[in-house]
Amino acid sequence: QVQFVESGGGLVQPGGSLRLSCAGSGSILSISAMGWYRQAPGKQRELVARITSGGSTNYADSVKGRFTISRDNAKNTMYLQMNSLKPEDTAVYYCNAFGRVVGAGGFNAWGQGTQVTVSS
């Protein structure tokens, strides 16, 4: 019973900023890695950014230098700070996390997504 919920999406003008959050709950023992994905209508879901338990980060070339991923381990929460937003960033953003659950086994969980729309 592990669940992640995204929040923080909305409408923003080009050049603006937005901060997304992904909060985990349930029987989480540990999280190995978390990542943000996005999907625009008619397009494939793509990895935007990811962060490991050790703090290593990776970014898609399209967002590098504009987006910053971070996480608060104590809260099982991940963030995505998005600056200098472009219309091409418009998509539903999903968070993903995998790790271990209390008791036995692991998890690979997805949130339901939050809409980000960049438009003038």
Side-chain angles (χ1 to χ4, degrees):
Q1 191 176 326
V2 175
Q3 182 176 333
F4 286 84
V5 179
E6 303 94 340
S7 62
L11 175 64
V12 65
Q13 295 191 77
S17 297
L18 213 54
R19 186 175 180 85
L20 306 183
S21 298
C22 174
S25 62
S27 301
I28 300 171
L29 178 63
S30 62
I31 299 175
S32 297
M34 304 182 75
W36 287 99
Y37 294 75
R38 67 186 182 188
Q39 187 169 25
K43 299 182 68 177
Q44 298 283 313
R45 184 175 298 188
E46 65 173 340
L47 176 67
V48 177
R50 71 189 301 271
I51 185 167
T52 69
S53 60
S56 297
T57 58
N58 296 98
Y59 297 91
D61 288 341
S62 59
V63 308
K64 202 167 188 176
R66 299 187 297 120
F67 291 11
T68 302
I69 189 171
S70 62
R71 76 187 218 179
D72 185 334
N73 292 336
K75 296 180 178 180
N76 290 324
T77 300
M78 173 178 63
Y79 307 93
L80 185 67
Q81 179 66 48
M82 304 185 292
N83 298 325
S84 302
L85 283 161
K86 304 175 180 179
E88 305 92 275
D89 296 317
T90 296
V92 177
Y93 284 69
Y94 300 88
C95 72
N96 170 256
F98 69 90
R100 299 169 61 192
V101 299
V102 176
F107 69 88
N108 187 344
W110 290 85
Q112 290 192 323
T114 185
Q115 177 72 49
V116 172
T117 302
V118 184
S119 177
S120 57

